[in-house]
Amino acid sequence: MANLHVAIILDGNGRWAKQQNKPRTFGHNRGSKALIELVQKWAKNNCNVNHLSLFCFSTENSSRPKQEVKFLHELFFKTITNKKVIDFLIKNKIRFNWIGFKNNINVQTLKAIKDLEQRTNKFKLNLNIFFNYGGIQDINQAAKQKNFSKSLLTSKLPDIDLLIRTSGEKRISNFALMLLSYSELLFEDKFWPDYTYQDFKKNIAEFKLRKRRFGKKIN
């Protein structure tokens, strides 16, 4: 069972911060660190996961308070321009892919995204960051083009084998709808800042015990 595509909906930063009696931005900062820690350990021993997709910010999240949205955009920019992060991706041969809409993304951030994608585009281990993305919006914009399938923002990604969502919520929240037709779903009660690589390995192990039928009868 090689070359899996595992996606995670990173949920619960704000509620985690509330438990600590801290502002939501504190939770987002810790969530960013949890993301980096997971990617670092995944790179060392990837559990046969060739594509790791992380849903960080949805188009719907833009309706949150302006200061929080501004903070999340700035945090995204700081992360993808962090020299340690860039050096790590290159050293470990991880390809960075951004999947999202350009509206509401400033020119400086778009330039940083393009630069990081170009610097890592020859690598075969894929880190797909969904930021400013919505599945319904993706389908709607692709439907207006001549070639629907190639116009999807997710067109270059394989179908998702396993979707994990943290925080105990049990929904897919408009994420990568065209890639989820036969995905296995797994819901973690932990808030994202508390999710670890050990949890990730446990989730992969559970996935590998499941029988995937793809609509067919399997004895």
Side-chain angles (χ1 to χ4, degrees):
M1 190 178 287
N3 297 326
L4 296 173
H5 182 181
V6 176
I8 309 177
I9 298 175
L10 318 183
D11 193 23
N13 290 343
R15 280 166 287 164
W16 180 86
K18 186 176 181 180
Q19 281 187 347
Q20 319 296 318
N21 293 315
K22 300 285 187 179
R24 291 177 64 85
T25 52
F26 182 82
H28 293 314
N29 266 326
R30 185 62 190 91
S32 177
K33 290 179 181 178
L35 185 158
I36 292 170
E37 288 167 6
L38 176 67
V39 170
Q40 287 174 335
K41 292 180 180 178
W42 162 67
K44 304 295 183 185
N45 179 18
N46 64 34
C47 299
N48 297 321
V49 177
N50 188 52
H51 278 268
L52 178 61
S53 292
L54 304 175
F55 194 20
C56 303
F57 185 85
S58 71
T59 50
E60 289 79 11
N61 290 153
S62 295
S63 64
R64 291 182 177 182
K66 288 184 179 179
Q67 283 302 110
E68 183 178 359
V69 172
K70 183 174 182 288
F71 180 87
L72 287 167
H73 277 259
E74 290 174 350
L75 183 60
F76 177 52
F77 176 76
K78 288 176 184 177
T79 303
I80 64 174
T81 55
N82 184 302
K83 187 177 185 301
K84 288 184 179 179
V85 170
I86 295 170
D87 289 346
F88 178 83
L89 293 177
I90 293 172
K91 180 181 178 181
N92 290 275
K93 297 183 178 180
I94 299 172
R95 181 176 183 175
F96 172 84
N97 303 302
W98 169 61
I99 297 92
F101 291 97
K102 291 183 178 180
N103 63 303
N104 301 322
I105 305 291
N106 65 43
V107 174
Q108 188 182 28
T109 301
L110 289 173
K111 184 178 182 299
I113 290 168
K114 184 178 180 180
D115 178 63
L116 189 52
E117 287 184 331
Q118 288 179 339
R119 294 180 68 179
T120 61
N121 64 9
K122 293 181 180 179
F123 303 141
K124 295 183 178 179
L125 199 59
N126 294 274
L127 175 63
N128 311 309
I129 298 296
F130 285 72
F131 189 93
N132 201 40
Y133 176 83
I136 292 173
Q137 294 88 335
D138 192 7
I139 292 169
N140 286 341
Q141 66 84 24
K144 298 174 184 176
Q145 310 303 317
K146 290 183 179 180
N147 191 322
F148 173 78
S149 59
K150 288 186 177 180
S151 298
L152 289 164
L153 297 179
T154 57
S155 64
K156 294 182 180 179
L157 301 183
D159 286 347
I160 293 168
D161 297 294
L162 170 64
L163 174 65
I164 302 165
R165 181 179 184 135
T166 59
S167 88
E169 301 290 347
K170 295 178 173 62
R171 57 181 180 273
I172 58 175
S173 293
N174 198 22
F175 173 64
L177 301 178
M178 296 298 290
L179 302 181
L180 290 172
S181 54
Y182 281 103
S183 304
E184 295 292 321
L185 307 179
L186 202 157
F187 301 101
E188 277 282 346
D189 288 332
K190 286 186 176 182
F191 293 134
W192 171 248
D194 288 330
Y195 187 85
T196 67
Y197 183 68
Q198 291 303 116
D199 296 313
F200 183 73
K201 288 202 300 183
K202 180 195 71 176
N203 292 157
I204 299 298
E206 180 178 335
F207 165 80
K208 289 179 178 178
L209 292 175
R210 296 186 181 184
K211 292 183 179 180
R212 305 183 71 196
R213 296 178 175 80
F214 299 100
K216 302 174 183 177
K217 181 180 178 182
I218 297 179
N219 294 326

